[in-house]
Amino acid sequence: MNASRRREKRLDIESVVLPFLGSRAEDYQTFEYLLLDVSPGGVGVTLPRWLASRELLRQGQRVNLHLPFELGGKMLHSGVVTWTRWDEEQEAQYAGVVLDEASPALYPVFVTLDSRQIAIDLGGFSGLDHLLARVLKDSVLLKRGILIYLKHLSAYFSRVSDLEREEYLLFREAVIDEVRHNVQTHMTTLSALLRQAEDNGEQALERLDLDELRRAMDPEFYIDMFNAALGDETVGLFLRAIKELERKLLSNHNTCVLLYINSL
């Protein structure tokens, strides 16, 4: 691998014009946002009305932005909303988030708060297309993990449920089986995107369908609905484990968006 491929690529944050996926910490609810500004003091985001998945944020609320922000050697990803403002003319909510929770970055793709740039270290990859393929492959495995959890959840609840058999079968068919079908569909889509990325080589990113990617990465169910219907402590552990896998998928989506921007 030559030196030009190993060196770190950087792009100013002003170049980011595509939406990312975030989630509320309290209930895992997903929302889309645009990066407005970044600095060591925090991150500014905007949530215009035209976004497909728009949620109004509240001051004091903890949110996960599912992007690694590098500051002082730490990778920050979560923080608290410190202020919000609604702009009538732009039909958008503006908000500031102070980041205070760190975790290792899943991939060598991150936003540096000091320099306000996107950084990509290709030291372990031969190009952006190879990194994209790795993220997509990991995403397929995450969806497969969700399917496994759903299988165990259905089997467990069939043994311990207080619901009558007919009620449980109705819930399984109307909810659990529907969720499983959606996860399987999204996993199939991600597998197709992975094959496309592997076949297209250096053109993989420019041919990536971001709308299709967004739909495939989207969480398939609301945890509150399952908690209300199933209401078992062990079931809650299954659901939180699934949601943690979904959080990684949201991060993978955002990584793909950063890679796409850097390929333009």
Side-chain angles (χ1 to χ4, degrees):
M1 189 185 302
N2 60 42
S4 64
R5 292 227 171 180
R6 286 197 302 267
R7 72 168 179 259
E8 191 176 80
K9 300 183 65 172
R10 291 183 177 270
L11 188 70
D12 289 341
I13 202 66
E14 284 80 2
S15 302
V16 177
V17 294
L18 296 172
F20 296 101
L21 294 176
S23 65
R24 296 193 303 239
E26 60 191 29
D27 59 2
Y28 299 93
Q29 177 61 47
T30 304
F31 60 88
E32 285 186 304
Y33 67 91
L34 299 174
L35 272 179
L36 190 64
D37 186 55
V38 300
S39 72
V43 177
V45 299
T46 180
L47 293 79
R49 193 185 295 277
W50 56 262
L51 290 175
S53 298
R54 191 176 65 86
E55 295 283 334
L56 291 178
L57 303 181
R58 301 192 312 271
Q59 186 174 345
Q61 190 174 58
R62 175 165 294 279
V63 294
N64 297 302
L65 297 181
H66 301 295
L67 273 176
F69 294 90
E70 191 275 331
L71 180 64
K74 293 183 178 180
M75 293 294 178
L76 304 170
H77 66 94
S78 174
V80 176
V81 178
T82 56
W83 60 268
T84 65
R85 174 176 60 84
W86 177 259
D87 189 306
E88 289 289 351
E89 184 177 349
Q90 299 295 327
E91 293 191 319
Q93 183 188 47
Y94 291 81
V97 180
V98 173
L99 301 171
D100 58 7
E101 280 195 4
S103 66
L106 298 176
Y107 307 99
V109 183
F110 52 91
V111 178
T112 57
L113 293 179
D114 283 325
S115 64
R116 304 174 71 247
Q117 291 181 318
I118 302 167
I120 299 177
D121 185 353
L122 292 174
F125 299 89
S126 60
L128 293 179
D129 54 309
H130 284 203
L131 183 50
L132 171 67
R134 170 65 181 275
V135 177
L136 291 173
K137 182 177 182 180
D138 289 348
S139 299
V140 172
L141 295 176
L142 287 169
K143 289 289 186 182
R144 188 172 297 158
I146 292 173
L147 285 175
I148 293 172
Y149 274 123
L150 286 171
K151 180 180 179 180
H152 290 317
L153 175 63
S154 181
Y156 171 81
F157 193 68
S158 68
R159 299 193 302 269
V160 303
S161 172
D162 292 330
L163 296 176
E164 296 292 336
R165 176 172 174 78
E166 292 76 11
E167 292 177 315
Y168 170 71
L169 289 176
L170 180 61
F171 179 80
R172 189 187 70 185
E173 292 173 2
V175 180
I176 296 180
D177 288 350
E178 177 69 17
V179 170
R180 184 185 295 121
H181 170 75
N182 291 338
V183 175
Q184 181 66 59
T185 298
H186 291 162
M187 187 176 76
T188 300
T189 298
L190 289 171
S191 296
L193 290 173
L194 172 59
R195 288 193 300 271
Q196 176 182 299
E198 293 172 336
D199 292 342
N200 288 329
E202 294 183 358
Q203 296 180 323
L205 278 161
E206 66 183 67
R207 296 182 179 180
L208 180 64
D209 187 328
L210 290 181
D211 289 334
E212 190 174 31
L213 176 74
R214 163 70 173 80
R215 290 190 295 270
M217 293 288 200
D218 213 22
E220 285 83 13
F221 66 90
Y222 296 102
I223 194 169
D224 287 346
M225 176 179 65
F226 275 75
N227 277 333
L230 305 183
D232 180 90
E233 184 177 350
T234 302
V235 169
L237 294 177
F238 276 116
L239 298 179
R240 286 190 290 276
I242 290 173
K243 282 300 180 183
E244 287 306 312
L245 295 184
E246 288 183 346
R247 279 185 174 185
K248 293 181 180 179
L249 283 162
L250 297 180
S251 296
N252 285 7
H253 169 274
N254 291 346
T255 297
C256 289
V257 172
L258 289 180
L259 292 174
Y260 180 86
I261 293 168
N262 272 268
S263 72
L264 299 178

